[in-house]
Amino acid sequence: MTEFYRQYLTVAVFAVAAMVMVGAMLGVGVLLRPTRPQDQKYITYESGSDPFGQFGQQNVRYYLYALLFVIFDVETVFLFPWAVDADAGSGLGWFGFVEISIFTAVLVAGLGYLWRKGLLKWA
Amino acid sequence: MRSLAVDIWGGWATTLGIKTLIVMGLIPVGALVLGYTFLLKMMSHMQSRLGPMDPGGFHGWYQLIGDGIKFIQKEDIIPEGADKRVFKMAPAIVVLSTFLMFVVLPGGPDFVVAKDLDVGVFYALAVSSLSVIGVLMAGWASSNKYALLGSLRAAAQLIAYELPLVLAVIGVVIQAGTMNLQDIVRFQASGEIFGWDGLGLPLILTQIVGFGLFMIAAQAELSQPPFDMPVAESELVAGYMVEYTGFRFLFFFIGEFGTAFVYAGLAATLFLGGWSVPFIDVDADIMNVVGPLVLFAKIMLVAFLMFWARFTYPRFREDQLQSLAWKWLIPIALANILVTGALKVAF
């Protein structure tokens, strides 16, 4: 097994360990906690009064931000390879800097366009 | 086949097992230390809260134990109409995200779980955003309107501040020329300030803008005041956590404070020199003992700043939160990257 895969195997082991810890704590909880079922306990909490109206009314005002985020986040990923190798001596130097400036300018232009369009304003 | 056996018994797997156990202990302990020191004691002092200072006599030392006993005694309640499987999985995913972040956080020259994970800081930020899924699942599955609203707010907030967080880190990556946190620490330890190498070069000196952005964004990622709209107790009671009781609620608590611990650790590592300390060689064996203590001291310092802001400022409005991220933090972060890049190339 190469060193490279070992690093990611570590990550996998940790994911399992997290689940084991959650399971163990819940297992201890089952042994220690009381159980006294009563119908009223299972009504959802709405500040003490009975739940009003239907559940399932959704506020989708945020979906535009989600779309925005996906675009910008994917573009952000491209900044990292340059950032690691930005040095003038051994790396990309001014060529890389000009390239990334253009790239960032496009990003900013996109953000400016959305701003102008009023997408960042609370409707 | 033989090499696999060596892998398992010849040290590597055993070491990994020990490291896993250490981190399994470290996460609840880190969460409790922050919760006790800052949430119970510092907040009580700053806001004149009498309750947490009372139980057990001296400074209310018994309060945390009492809270623990309370969590154990709570009945496990899943509201009717809830999506049971998703409801049960949500806290586990929040804890998972906290766990995975610890993999790359270095505490000494050999005191790190995965020291050759070269995507280091990028990986840490990537897994930190896993908790959004847990939060959304919790709100969605609870069958409660407060929870749903809280989780939607949380999702919008977490993704909006993910960008400044990542962009703030790029400045550090440009300067150090690596994403590996261990190498970033070494870079800072071996740096010099105008030819004087006494202190090394803690990157907060050159990346003060990045540090500010990182702290603000981390505060929002943790949903701490002034960015606590998702859990605003006076309007949404507790947001996505309303329907959780006992241990399941405790997981959200551990997730929140454990993540605060890691974010403070990341800030300390990226900007304050991490586990390195002036006048001791970074590769000296003693650093495996001193390093974790130094890192812990720096974590407490950064965490103090975070919680100070938490206990001082009132809550933002939802639209103020979004415009702060999109109209201020992201443009400033982009400008910071370009300036850092130009200086890096020029000098």
Side-chain angles (χ1 to χ4, degrees):
Chain A
M1 210 171 359
T2 63
E3 200 49 43
F4 179 79
Y5 289 114
R6 273 187 183 173
Q7 305 302 326
Y8 288 96
L9 185 62
T10 308
V11 173
V13 168
F14 261 69
V16 174
M19 292 302 145
V20 168
M21 194 179 91
V22 169
M25 281 178 72
L26 285 176
V28 171
V30 170
L31 296 177
L32 292 176
R33 70 178 172 237
T35 310
R36 315 239 190 293
Q38 265 175 359
D39 281 347
Q40 292 91 328
K41 285 182 182 171
Y42 302 100
I43 301 171
T44 51
Y45 180 75
E46 233 163 75
S47 304
S49 51
D50 286 344
F52 175 81
Q54 284 286 307
F55 169 75
Q57 299 157 329
Q58 292 149 31
N59 187 341
V60 287
R61 179 178 283 170
Y62 302 111
Y63 85 98
L64 270 176
Y65 289 109
L67 286 178
L68 261 181
F69 168 74
V70 170
I71 297 165
F72 278 86
D73 205 38
V74 170
E75 296 193 20
T76 305
V77 171
F78 291 114
L79 288 173
F80 270 96
W82 165 74
V84 173
D85 204 23
D87 198 27
S90 55
L92 296 164
W94 284 116
F95 167 73
F97 179 73
V98 171
E99 288 280 315
I100 214 70
S101 304
I102 296 170
F103 181 75
T104 315
V106 175
L107 258 176
V108 172
L111 186 62
Y113 174 75
L114 293 170
W115 196 334
R116 191 77 193 279
K117 274 276 184 182
L119 277 184
L120 300 181
K121 220 189 293 164
W122 201 247
Chain B
M1 203 56 213
R2 191 178 143 67
S3 74
L4 187 67
V6 170
D7 251 358
I8 294 172
W9 303 116
W12 179 76
T14 322
T15 320
L16 177 60
I18 294 170
K19 284 171 174 172
T20 313
L21 286 178
I22 290 177
V23 173
M24 275 169 107
L26 195 62
I27 289 171
V29 169
L32 290 181
V33 165
L34 290 193
Y36 182 77
T37 330
F38 295 117
L39 189 65
L40 294 183
K41 297 303 160 234
M42 183 178 147
M43 181 154 97
S44 301
H45 277 290
M46 292 179 91
Q47 303 184 343
S48 303
R49 292 184 181 224
L50 302 180
M53 301 297 278
D54 189 49
F58 176 72
H59 264 236
W61 60 272
Y62 187 73
Q63 178 69 42
L64 194 67
I65 301 167
D67 281 343
I69 293 173
K70 187 186 76 183
F71 280 123
I72 292 172
Q73 287 178 328
K74 288 266 183 182
E75 210 173 320
D76 187 38
I77 289 179
I78 300 174
E80 58 177 345
D83 190 337
K84 289 196 174 54
R85 262 177 55 201
V86 180
F87 186 86
K88 286 178 180 170
M89 268 161 66
I93 287 183
V94 174
V95 172
L96 175 71
S97 147
T98 310
F99 242 83
L100 291 181
M101 283 173 81
F102 267 89
V103 173
V104 286
L105 192 67
D110 303 307
F111 199 92
V112 55
V113 180
K115 84 172 136 194
D116 295 321
L117 198 66
D118 281 330
V119 288
V121 62
F122 187 70
Y123 160 87
L125 296 175
V127 291
S128 81
S129 51
L130 271 182
S131 64
V132 184
I133 300 170
V135 166
L136 261 181
M137 282 164 64
W140 196 258
S142 286
S143 148
N144 182 310
K145 292 167 209 116
Y146 290 130
L148 182 65
L149 281 174
S151 72
L152 286 174
R153 278 189 186 185
Q157 172 170 334
L158 295 185
I159 61 176
Y161 282 84
E162 187 77 23
L163 286 171
L165 192 74
V166 176
L167 292 171
V169 168
I170 290 182
V172 172
V173 176
I174 292 173
Q175 280 209 285
T178 174
M179 290 186 276
N180 188 323
L181 286 166
Q182 195 70 284
D183 292 339
I184 291 176
V185 172
R186 283 173 198 279
F187 172 81
Q188 296 179 72
S190 63
E192 48 190 36
I193 307 164
F194 298 119
W196 178 63
D197 61 355
L199 269 183
L201 176 67
L203 285 174
I204 189 174
L205 296 177
T206 51
Q207 289 292 327
I208 184 76
V209 178
F211 180 70
L213 291 168
F214 187 89
M215 293 299 281
I216 295 174
Q219 195 81 353
E221 289 283 309
L222 293 167
S223 322
Q224 292 205 32
F227 301 102
D228 68 332
M229 292 71 97
V231 291
E233 74 280 359
S234 49
E235 37 188 291
L236 290 178
V237 284
Y240 53 89
M241 295 183 280
V242 188
E243 295 294 348
Y244 283 87
T245 57
F247 269 119
R248 292 187 208 283
F249 177 81
L250 189 63
F251 288 136
F252 282 118
F253 181 85
I254 291 177
E256 183 186 339
F257 282 82
T259 312
F261 193 79
V262 193
Y263 272 129
L266 277 180
T269 306
L270 292 169
F271 298 100
L272 301 178
W275 48 266
S276 69
V277 65
F279 309 120
I280 303 184
D281 182 43
V282 278
D283 286 312
D285 278 341
I286 187 85
M287 282 313 290
N288 278 317
V289 182
V290 178
L293 299 175
V294 171
L295 182 67
F296 181 71
K298 288 178 181 174
I299 287 178
M300 291 306 268
L301 177 72
V302 175
F304 173 77
L305 295 177
M306 285 174 163
F307 284 90
W308 191 5
R310 170 179 179 145
F311 302 145
T312 309
Y313 292 108
R315 189 177 300 139
F316 276 127
R317 236 170 38 220
E318 191 65 33
D319 59 324
Q320 291 170 330
L321 165 105
Q322 291 291 345
S323 49
L324 178 68
W326 294 101
K327 294 181 182 171
W328 292 97
L329 298 185
I330 292 174
I332 292 173
L334 287 172
N336 182 44
I337 289 171
L338 287 184
V339 171
T340 312
L343 289 175
K344 170 82 176 180
V345 176
F347 297 106

